[in-house]
Amino acid sequence: MSETNPAAAEAAPHRYTAALAAEIEARWQDFWDAEGTYAAPNPKGDLAGDPEVVARPKKFIMDMFPYPSGAGLHVGHPLGYIATDVYARFQRMTGHNVLHTLGFDAFGLPAEQYAVQTGTHPRVSTEANIKNMQVQLRRLGLGHDKRRSFATIDPDYYKWTQWIFLQIFNSWYDQDAQKARPISELVAQFESGERPVPGGRSWSELSSVERADLLSEYRLAYASDAPVNWCPGLGTVLANEEVTADGRSERGNFPVFKAKLRQWNMRITAYADRLLDDLDALDWPEAIKLQQRNWIGRSEGARVDFPIDGEKITVFTTRPDTLFGATYMVLAPEHPLVEKFTPDAWPEGTHEVWTGGHATPAEAVAAYRAQAASKSDVERQAEAKDKTGVFTGAYATNPVNGQRVPVFIADYVLMGYGTGAIMAVPGHDTRDFAFARAFELPIVCVVEPTDGRGTDPATWDDAFVSHDAKIVNSSGEHVSLDGLNVTEAKARITEWLEREGHGEGTVNFRLRDWLFSRQRYWGEPFPIVYDEDGVAHALPESMLPLELPEVDDYSPRTFDPDDADTQPETPLSRNEDWVNVTLDLGDGPKKYRRETNTMPNWAGSCWYELRYLDPHNSEKLVDPEIERYWMGPREGMPHGGVDLYVGGAEHAVLHLLYARFWSKVLYDLGHISSAEPFHKLFNQGMIQAYVYRDSRGIAVPAAEVEERDGGYWYQGERVTRLLGKMGKSLKNAVTPDEICAEYGADTLRLYEMAMGPLDVSRPWDTRAVVGQFRLLQRLWRNIVDEATGEVTVVDTDDVDEDTLRALHKAIDGVRGDLESMRFNTAIAKVTELNNHLTKRGGPLPRSVAEPLVLLVAPLAPHIAEELWRKLGHTDSVVHQDFPVADPAYVVDETVTCVVQIKGKVKARLEVSPGISEDELEKTALADERVVAALDGAGIRKVIVRAPKLVNIVPA
RNA sequence: GCCGGGUUGGUGGAAUGGCAUACACGGAUGUCUCAAACACAUCUGCCCGAGAGGGCUUGCGGGUUCGAGUCCCGCACCCGGCACCA
């Protein structure tokens, strides 16, 4: 609590109060800014500095940068920033050149929506939010190199985002070399004939449109028609989670249609294998690696062609070994071949449940498609248990045994995965089994069950799914798999399929290309123009940055909510002067139309680590020497990258995968030396907060809830307590500003670090913050006289053993804890030492006070800086060496040895740490409590772990 | 459903297979004070017992081990993520 009693303030005018903390903190924050205390020198360029510091080992310590929201920060936001700051400070004190800074991820939807509502330009509101956040963050004493900060909306920054887009646009993936290469090298291959042009003509015979279309097949950034959730009523495309279960928009409740839209894509799938393989060398949490592996979703299998009417349907299967058990096929409802094979009438004897009650196949297919299209993806998935579908009237042929198999459409098959078609093996696939039962389709057993259920599928309740069993009933004229195990059968059948031209072994990925355009205003404009033939051209580097133009209205044009045949009209497209331009792209002035989509929010965060290194470089994205210095490969980090990247686990796949992808392209093209952006990743937990709800379930202001009689009360009414997220809507937000005002930033920092291990979520408890405040007060009082403000430390060599041991044990423990980011236990060890010193009383020897202050410095930098100055030093505590423990004092003079009998503690002995096992055993067996407890019983065995433990096992 | 993580006092949490409950919050008592606050000191897992002391205890049930919060198997519950992935 802040000091309010005048009498007490008079008695202790120099007590460490909130007011004094505020004064100290403001003073040192000003000092650090003025001195450039946290400036990290580059080896060259405008940020070059002290060669001695540059020569040290480097540490690049980074946070996931924030989006500057209008709501400002609550105490949950800075958790990671404080952690990286403590770690960075520790690294500075252990001889490293530390790069630590923070920028802003400032393009995004909230600012645009605010602009639509208020007419305020997104730049205006965003920059105001950034300013506000900078004030809040500065108050925490974060040691950022502010020269390196930027926002992704700065034209100097997004110039390079656009430049990278052009690098990607102007590249293709060479499958032989397994790397990206400039598109000009592909053109040269086509020109020389080294690579044949599809269709048999020569490159010079192709029109410009044909050339552009061909290159588009190769470019790493390409435009294509992609299915999207189009909402005419809002005039925008929606993400899946913005669409309700019944296919309407969450906002406004308008209908949403699946529409094809010309969109930019990034060919991230070309990198699937490398993104997967390179994970192995990264120091990331296994859980996150696993999520990325699952997201990429590599599966080995085979493509199999099923002949139909002289053509074929190609399926992907991971179980080609079960081909003899394929009794029907299913296509995704959107599959383009469906119309082609749908006959005019139902074949003779078509089963009634197959037709869905429709008179013709065309009618049935149309009805099912309409029904599927009206449902959202979420709903299609929600109804997964009840298998729906309809017969197309067509039959294909199973290549392995020549059997006719009916072709269905069903929405459990997805157009976006594999080939959009499956062979159904109901005997050995759970979903196929359910579908077959619903539609009375034949089920065949081709994998011998190992669970005793027998080989008659009619008696089964579910499919038999196993990868470790014998193949049966799989013998045909041409090939037999009987008796082989699953793995052998896969190899045998794949070989057969390839030999006979019915298919091939293949690898399929779940990963899809990255949809890269948005119909928004507040994003990076594409540096792309279209000529009169509609061919896309890259702007030359000299025309970058392509700045966002002013527009009258930020809202997209809306349409009749029910009119599916509309197209989005982007805000940028309305600025005709900007859109229609005459440019000279090297072949004289010509008319062009600009691309009017903008890049997604991810773009700016895909490469920002690189710009921190060399933020003002106007010639290059980053100077190669500087990049190699901070991020190049090193011992233990073969792909290079940031030394530590801290952020929330919610970015496990998208952001981290996209950033890895961009790194690899830039690496392939020779722009950077690091093939991975983030060598070590750490996911901090969430700070949760209690949510109090009244009897109607409405959240009540958490700050006004009282606890008494074992319950929680708000305005006399009993309320219930649950753990939830912190935020405005749940009325439980606590801001760093209020904690700083009541206790100071050092207390807030300590509390956030002391709450628990950094990687787990834990609830905020404002009442408990005072504990860390008391720690700082006691620390202060151990060094400063509260009445006079004078330092009480004495210069003496005469320090008691207990204190030396307490000090060096603390140094040893805190060092290890900070290195491995166990900040909570580091603080506990500092507390223990400080409590020892409080209890000890008397003036502190300088040789104890100084290391104590240095131990605290990474955690509570302001008070440490103040005490360091009071102790007579004129240089900043930030660049002092972290104390090193004297091993002689880390071990105790005597240790407590526990004597157990059958694992139960029966006696404790004080012994020397160096005691031998024999002597310890003798001492233990001679102890009277042990003798009494053994009560004459013989001894079977004695386990001795000197000097801590003896365990006696009686006969 | 699948994948990942978790479950330790009134609360947040600590514990290389070796004294379970460090450190902090909260609580109790005392010293100081006219009184209170602050500070300092002592106590504070649960049960039995006046006490000495004894028994029990890391979600539940098994197992491995001289010894398990920690390793293995099964179950329950909680939190994330993914989801008809062929």
Side-chain angles (χ1 to χ4, degrees), chain A residues 510-787:
Chain A
R510 182 186 172 277
L511 183 70
R512 281 175 237 167
D513 278 345
W514 172 18
L515 186 74
F516 195 71
S517 40
R518 302 288 185 269
Q519 297 71 51
R520 307 283 183 198
Y521 173 74
W522 194 226
E524 298 88 347
F526 282 86
I528 291 285
V529 291
Y530 298 95
D531 65 21
E532 286 170 338
D533 295 325
V535 173
H537 296 266
L539 289 181
E541 198 178 322
S542 61
M543 291 186 188
L544 302 184
L546 172 61
E547 296 205 31
L548 265 173
E550 296 300 318
V551 298
D552 300 332
D553 183 5
Y554 310 102
S555 43
R557 181 173 159 203
T558 56
F559 299 89
D560 173 356
D562 297 309
D563 187 355
D565 297 325
T566 47
Q567 283 272 310
E569 188 183 285
T570 60
L572 289 185
S573 66
R574 277 186 228 129
N575 190 329
E576 292 286 331
D577 293 345
W578 182 81
V579 172
N580 298 300
V581 284
T582 301
L583 301 171
D584 184 348
L585 300 184
D587 50 357
K590 285 187 181 168
K591 285 189 170 177
Y592 295 96
R593 273 186 70 78
R594 290 193 195 277
E595 170 64 59
T596 66
N597 283 294
T598 53
M599 298 189 200
N601 201 200
W602 305 109
S605 59
C606 266
W607 71 281
Y608 69 119
E609 73 283 356
L610 294 167
R611 196 61 180 173
Y612 284 150
L613 307 179
D614 194 10
H616 313 123
N617 194 330
S618 55
E619 301 299 313
K620 286 195 158 113
L621 150 117
V622 56
D623 179 273
E625 188 185 332
I626 296 173
E627 189 273 336
R628 216 165 30 246
Y629 175 81
W630 288 110
M631 291 191 57
R634 282 188 179 36
E635 176 84 43
M637 36 198 292
H639 305 298
V642 170
D643 294 274
L644 175 66
Y645 191 38
V646 173
E650 67 273 19
H651 294 298
V653 276
L654 299 178
H655 160 61
L656 288 171
L657 207 56
Y658 297 153
R660 295 182 62 213
F661 165 53
W662 278 33
S663 274
K664 291 195 181 304
V665 178
L666 291 172
Y667 172 81
D668 284 354
L669 298 175
H671 298 301
I672 57 175
S673 70
S674 46
E676 285 286 342
F678 313 116
H679 174 68
K680 182 180 169 79
L681 175 73
F682 192 97
N683 293 118
Q684 92 268 21
M686 232 196 329
I687 290 191
Q688 300 168 304
Y690 288 113
V691 183
Y692 299 90
R693 294 181 190 278
D694 63 19
S695 54
R696 293 167 300 164
I698 303 202
V700 303
E704 294 166 40
V705 171
E706 292 173 76
E707 184 179 357
R708 64 181 143 88
D709 312 331
Y712 305 95
W713 304 81
Y714 172 69
Q715 294 184 347
E717 195 198 342
R718 187 141 188 170
V719 292
T720 58
R721 188 177 84 163
L722 272 171
L723 215 48
K725 281 189 179 181
M726 184 174 280
K728 259 186 182 166
S729 59
L730 296 173
K731 296 184 187 158
N732 59 0
V734 178
T735 65
D737 312 61
E738 45 192 296
I739 301 302
C740 285
E742 194 160 355
Y743 299 108
D746 281 336
T747 297
L748 172 64
R749 292 171 59 108
L750 278 181
Y751 177 66
E752 296 219 356
M753 292 300 98
M755 287 169 81
L758 187 61
D759 56 351
V760 302
S761 296
R762 78 286 331 239
W764 179 265
D765 182 7
T766 297
R767 286 184 318 174
V769 177
V770 71
Q772 301 306 324
F773 184 58
R774 287 181 195 146
L775 166 63
L776 293 180
Q777 279 192 327
R778 279 195 285 264
L779 168 71
W780 182 262
R781 209 161 28 230
N782 278 333
I783 296 176
V784 177
D785 186 319
E786 289 188 337

Side-chain angles (χ1 to χ4, degrees), chain A residues 923-935:
Chain A
T923 315
L925 290 175
D927 189 274
E928 55 179 18
R929 287 161 297 188
V930 174
V931 173
L934 280 172
D935 196 23

Side-chain angles (χ1 to χ4, degrees), chain A residues 192-239:
Chain A
S192 70
E194 178 191 342
R195 183 180 292 261
V197 174
R201 289 186 293 163
S202 73
W203 179 255
S204 58
E205 290 171 274
L206 299 185
S207 71
S208 71
V209 175
E210 286 170 323
R211 287 178 182 180
D213 285 348
L214 177 56
L215 293 182
S216 186
E217 302 281 309
Y218 289 86
R219 290 185 192 275
L220 289 179
Y222 63 97
S224 76
D225 288 326
V228 294
N229 300 310
W230 167 234
C231 178
L234 290 171
T236 59
V237 170
L238 301 175

Side-chain angles (χ1 to χ4, degrees), chain A residues 346-347 350 354-356 361 364-365 389-395 405-409 439:
Chain A
W346 294 117
T350 295
W354 294 10
T355 67
V365 165
V390 73
F391 181 42
T392 62
Y395 283 86
V405 290
V407 180
F408 282 72
I409 57 172
F439 288 85

Side-chain angles (χ1 to χ4, degrees), chain A residues 828-901:
Chain A
K829 282 161 191 160
V830 168
T831 309
E832 254 172 309
L833 171 62
N834 197 52
N835 287 350
H836 167 86
L837 298 174
T838 300
K839 195 168 285 183
R840 172 186 178 275
L844 232 50
R846 175 170 296 269
S847 60
V848 175
E850 293 201 341
L852 171 64
V853 169
L854 295 173
L855 284 187
V856 169
L859 295 155
H862 309 89
I863 193 174
E865 194 79 280
E866 181 74 8
L867 290 171
W868 191 246
R869 178 60 58 101
K870 279 187 174 291
L871 285 166
H873 299 279
T874 51
D875 47 355
S876 166
V877 78
V878 171
H879 294 109
Q880 301 304 313
D881 287 336
F882 201 79
V884 180
D886 180 344
Y889 292 111
V890 172
V891 287
D892 280 307
E893 204 170 10
T894 63
V895 294
T896 307
C897 174
V898 291
V899 185
Q900 300 174 333
I901 292 175

